[in-house]
Amino acid sequence: MFAFTVMTTGLFSTEKAKTTAQAALTEASSSFITKGAVTATCDVPAACTRVNSITFTVALASGADAQTLSAGELSFLYTDPNNTQRTSGLVPVGGIITVETGPATAGNGVDIVSIIDTGPGGTGSLEAGESAAITIWLDDTGAGPPATTLLGAGTKFRIEMMAPKGGTLIVERDIPKVLTGNMNLN
């Protein structure tokens, strides 16, 4: 009887450890993947001196559960050699990412637009087979507040997109040494 109890306890502990390890791996790996090109646009296409937006498309990683795409629930961390800014939901204060002047105001803060929306979840969620374009609008004046260093030619940047559950999607690219109106950063 004692041997049976020890063996059962050992099996239970092993199963519990396996479940805990799988949950940790699911939480650590990103639920999102980038799909297609990462692009940047210039402030004035005819005379480019700085980048004013970065756009990338996201989809769910294989086997990932549906994720929120609500701007109020996602968080972004933008870094380059001169700037760091973290947002939580709408961008309430200025920095390198422009201030959101109202809920989902296009051309400010972070824009999220569904490209393919096939599931019953509707807008605000991303399900298997769906994708959405994320655009990060960057300051192109440097005035702030707070004052920022504009994203220019030859600069490396990193954007981390964090959802309430699942890991972080990291988009890291270099801006070309010669700026043009539309730039493919792949």
Side-chain angles (χ1 to χ4, degrees):
M1 184 63 155
F2 177 73
F4 176 75
T5 302
V6 169
M7 194 165 86
T8 302
T9 302
L11 289 174
F12 175 75
S13 297
T14 302
E15 186 62 31
K16 189 70 172 170
K18 177 182 167 189
T19 303
T20 302
Q22 285 176 335
L25 284 173
T26 299
E27 192 66 26
S29 63
S30 180
S31 300
F32 299 107
I33 58 169
T34 57
K35 199 172 182 179
V38 176
T39 60
T41 60
C42 212
D43 57 329
V44 180
C48 292
T49 60
R50 56 194 170 266
V51 173
N52 78 336
S53 72
I54 298 167
T55 302
F56 54 95
T57 302
V58 296
L60 285 180
S62 179
D65 293 332
Q67 289 289 324
T68 184
L69 275 186
S70 167
E73 293 183 39
L74 292 173
S75 178
F76 293 86
L77 174 63
Y78 172 93
T79 56
D80 67 35
N82 302 302
N83 302 286
T84 298
Q85 183 179 354
R86 179 179 298 277
T87 72
S88 55
L90 299 177
V91 186
V93 295
I96 186 68
I97 300 175
T98 59
V99 176
E100 190 74 67
T101 56
T105 305
N108 290 306
V110 177
D111 291 340
I112 302 169
V113 179
S114 291
I115 296 173
I116 300 173
D117 188 359
T118 61
T123 58
S125 71
L126 189 66
E127 299 170 5
E130 298 179 345
S131 59
I134 311 290
T135 301
I136 310 292
W137 291 95
L138 302 178
D139 180 21
D140 63 357
T141 65
T148 59
T149 302
L150 306 177
L151 182 60
T155 307
K156 177 179 269 219
F157 71 88
R158 178 182 172 114
I159 297 170
E160 297 180 31
M161 180 175 136
M162 297 159 270
K165 62 180 183 174
T168 300
L169 172 68
I170 298 172
V171 176
E172 189 173 51
R173 299 288 192 279
D174 290 312
I175 299 299
K177 297 212 183 295
V178 176
L179 299 179
T180 59
N182 293 301
M183 296 163 275
N184 185 334
L185 305 180
N186 287 335

